[in-house]
Amino acid sequence: MSSTTSAFAPLARIVQGSGPGLLLAHGAGGSARDNWGPLLPDLAAHRTVVAPDYPGSGDSPYEPGEPTLDEYADRLVAAADEEGLDTFDLAGFSLGAAVAVRIATRHPGRVRSLLLIAGLAGGSARQSALSELMVRLRDRPAELADLMLTVVLGHSWVDALPADRLAALRAGLESPLPAGFPQQFRLAARTDVRAELASITVPTLVVGAAEDMLVQPAQHRLLAAGIPGARYVELPSGHLPMVEALPQLRAAVLEFVTG
């Protein structure tokens, strides 16, 4: 088995299921449980799922400094090593899609197939500015909640909510942020993996989100267009299809892991 050495502490992680390995990369400001929780039972029925938390997210302690995409990629592969996975299928959501691309190009012998959901490719001045704005608003929870309500969640889904559920959602968005939130969104603002896409040779499925205003669908399509032979499926949701379009996302993901 190949090994990834690191001077960093091991990442906390969720490990479930049995069978071939599946490594999951979560999005900026999220966690393994937040982003992948609704899909974990289905995934674990077919795979040994390893879902690490980035530093300052979930159960991984905060670490000072500014992480790099290489560090995240290497530390996720180290988690796979620690769980005995030599090769694995690889799925990434949002910033995690860019992490997954970096793993696929930095550790090409490890990855069997690639699933990218609402993923960040880079090269968008708008997306970078929005990520930086979210960092600046981290100490203004009411304003950040309003911004997240308008750009993270799809307008069709939000507009269909009853008033009481909308109020509860708005209040929930003011909950305390993970300690790694600023680091992860600053990393998202400066990430660009477009030049790496053409070198990916494994089977790839890209899942876009038609109403995504955080990482716009043009970013998702860049990933699909840049990876040779990638398939593209677009769901009717905002940036969180695991919340807004779970049945459709589940169908796409299960096709990926069982196909």
Side-chain angles (χ1 to χ4, degrees):
M1 175 182 301
S2 94
S3 178
T4 300
T5 59
S6 173
F8 298 101
L11 296 175
R13 70 204 66 151
I14 296 169
V15 181
Q16 293 184 7
S18 60
L22 173 60
L23 182 63
L24 305 181
H26 69 76
S31 69
R33 182 70 62 187
D34 290 342
N35 292 165
W36 297 106
L39 294 167
L40 285 175
D42 299 292
L43 296 174
H46 301 278
R47 292 285 189 270
T48 298
V49 178
V50 177
D53 289 319
Y54 305 144
S57 283
D59 293 325
S60 288
Y62 173 79
E63 298 172 3
E66 293 299 322
T68 67
L69 206 63
D70 283 354
E71 288 171 10
Y72 277 6
D74 289 353
R75 294 181 76 172
L76 263 65
V77 173
D81 286 341
E82 290 154 12
E83 299 302 330
L85 303 184
D86 190 5
T87 61
F88 42 81
D89 301 300
L90 175 60
F93 165 69
S94 191
L95 174 64
V99 175
V101 166
R102 184 60 54 86
I103 291 172
T105 56
R106 193 169 168 84
H107 304 277
R110 308 296 300 275
V111 179
R112 293 190 301 261
S113 62
L114 195 59
L115 170 65
L116 308 175
I117 302 172
L120 170 66
S124 167
R126 176 199 173 277
Q127 185 275 318
S128 295
L130 182 55
S131 295
E132 295 283 6
L133 175 60
M134 293 181 77
V135 173
R136 292 198 300 275
L137 291 178
R138 68 188 184 277
D139 296 324
R140 295 152 69 180
E143 293 177 40
L144 180 58
D146 286 338
L147 179 63
M148 293 174 70
L149 189 66
T150 55
V151 301
V152 175
L153 298 159
H155 63 83
S156 298
W157 188 80
V158 170
D159 289 348
L161 290 176
D164 58 339
R165 286 192 61 198
L166 181 60
L169 172 64
R170 172 64 180 68
L173 290 172
E174 290 194 46
S175 59
L177 299 172
F181 180 96
Q183 295 170 316
Q184 293 165 24
F185 271 93
R186 282 194 293 265
L187 177 58
R190 64 180 187 270
T191 287
D192 189 342
V193 296
R194 292 174 295 165
E196 302 167 45
L197 301 176
S199 66
I200 294 175
T201 60
V202 297
T204 300
L205 173 64
V206 178
V207 178
E211 294 186 4
D212 193 344
M213 292 295 290
L214 180 61
V215 180
Q216 289 189 301
Q219 288 280 297
H220 317 157
R221 297 184 193 118
L222 274 173
L223 293 170
I227 298 173
R231 292 192 302 119
Y232 183 72
V233 175
E234 192 165 87
L235 303 184
S237 80
H239 190 62
L240 299 176
M242 64 286 294
V243 173
E244 302 174 47
L246 181 58
Q248 300 97 314
L249 180 62
R250 180 183 286 117
V253 170
L254 286 179
E255 179 187 357
F256 168 76
V257 299
T258 62

